[in-house]
Amino acid sequence: MRLKYPLGALISLPLLPILYIQGAKVKATIPKLPEATGTEGMASSSTSDKKPFQLLTLGESTIAGVGVETHALGFTGTLAQSLAEMLQTDVRWKVYAKSGYTAKDVQQKFLPQISEETVDLVVIGLGANDAFALHHPQRWRKDVRNLILQIQEMYPTAPIFFCNMPPIKDFPAFTPQMKFVIGNLVEILGEELKILVEEMPHVYYEGSVISILEWGRKLEIQDPLAAFFSDGVHPSTFAYQVWARETAKQILDSKALNPSSLKNDVAPNTP
């Protein structure tokens, strides 16, 4: 895997001027969609008699809900509702995310803002902007590691779960050259993340590469690219909800949470 980046960089170098022009054109032509509104809420479980479970989501534009009207209808709200049903407990959720943010941005700009006293699960969605910036895998590894370590200082027992890397190779708005260079890079960053996560306690990453066409076949959707994208880059409301439900299953499958032993006093904030 360590050879993929230098080989890919060598192949991609002549394409960089073309990518710059194409990237500017894509940025100018895709709709400027706002981020979702309503950054916190509660997902209820009718069978719950426990203290609400606290979920935080951190990340870039997809976690910020670009392409969906409200977070309650998007990734975080759907994830919280799915977890509430699976864990049979109410889930209080809060979003800390911004379009355009890299791993370093989230660590430096959002973590100082987090005020929750207790957190039971942190879910992170990153990778696209680090790939768009052509960040070296070692820089990505360093920035993500710093992010993880600071979260663990704040909430020592809260599991941290990283979402799948964005399926850049499937973005309808991107050119073949952009899909090749940035799509391959984001997959390399995902492989680097997988290695890092294996070295750190209470950190999880499912790691499979999302295929929109496979999702379409599974759900029997005739035109999956139209159904899953709002602007050719960001997910549609439907895509956010499918992705969130899949993520909830991945979280439980990873054993990041043990539904039978959930406590009401986990993850104290110890700044």
Side-chain angles (χ1 to χ4, degrees), residues 193-255:
L193 176 60
K194 186 174 182 179
I195 294 171
L196 174 63
V197 161
E198 290 173 352
E199 299 171 356
M200 306 191 77
H202 309 302
V203 186
Y204 304 86
Y205 172 54
E206 196 274 339
S208 62
V209 177
I210 292 176
S211 169
I212 298 302
L213 295 181
E214 285 184 12
W215 276 11
R217 283 193 292 271
K218 181 179 178 181
L219 298 172
E220 299 182 348
I221 297 172
Q222 203 163 28
D223 188 355
L225 294 181
F228 281 103
F229 289 95
S230 58
D231 58 359
V233 174
H234 297 98
S236 64
T237 301
F238 173 69
Y240 276 121
Q241 294 175 355
V242 171
W243 178 36
R245 287 191 288 267
E246 288 295 317
T247 301
K249 294 175 186 176
Q250 291 171 359
I251 289 169
L252 293 191
D253 288 345
S254 73
K255 309 300 183 184

Side-chain angles (χ1 to χ4, degrees), residues 137-148:
Q138 290 305 305
R139 172 176 175 173
W140 159 256
R141 179 186 177 92
K142 177 183 176 182
D143 291 344
V144 173
R145 181 179 177 84
N146 288 340
L147 172 63
I148 292 170

Side-chain angles (χ1 to χ4, degrees), residues 50-72:
K50 305 173 186 176
K51 180 180 178 181
F53 181 92
Q54 180 67 61
L55 166 69
L56 293 187
T57 58
L58 310 175
E60 55 193 13
S61 61
T62 49
I63 306 299
V66 173
V68 66
E69 185 175 349
T70 69
H71 283 292

Side-chain angles (χ1 to χ4, degrees), residues 24 32 68 111 113 135 178 182 226 233:
K32 302 297 189 293
V68 66
L111 295 194
Q113 299 179 26
H135 285 169
M178 294 172 70
I182 304 174
V233 174

Side-chain angles (χ1 to χ4, degrees), residues 4-19 134 177-185 188:
K4 287 184 179 180
Y5 180 81
L7 290 174
L10 185 63
I11 296 170
S12 302
L13 188 60
L15 297 174
L16 293 184
I18 298 172
L19 290 179
L134 303 180
Q177 294 87 352
M178 294 172 70
K179 291 178 181 180
F180 173 78
V181 175
I182 304 174
N184 282 325
L185 177 55
I188 291 172

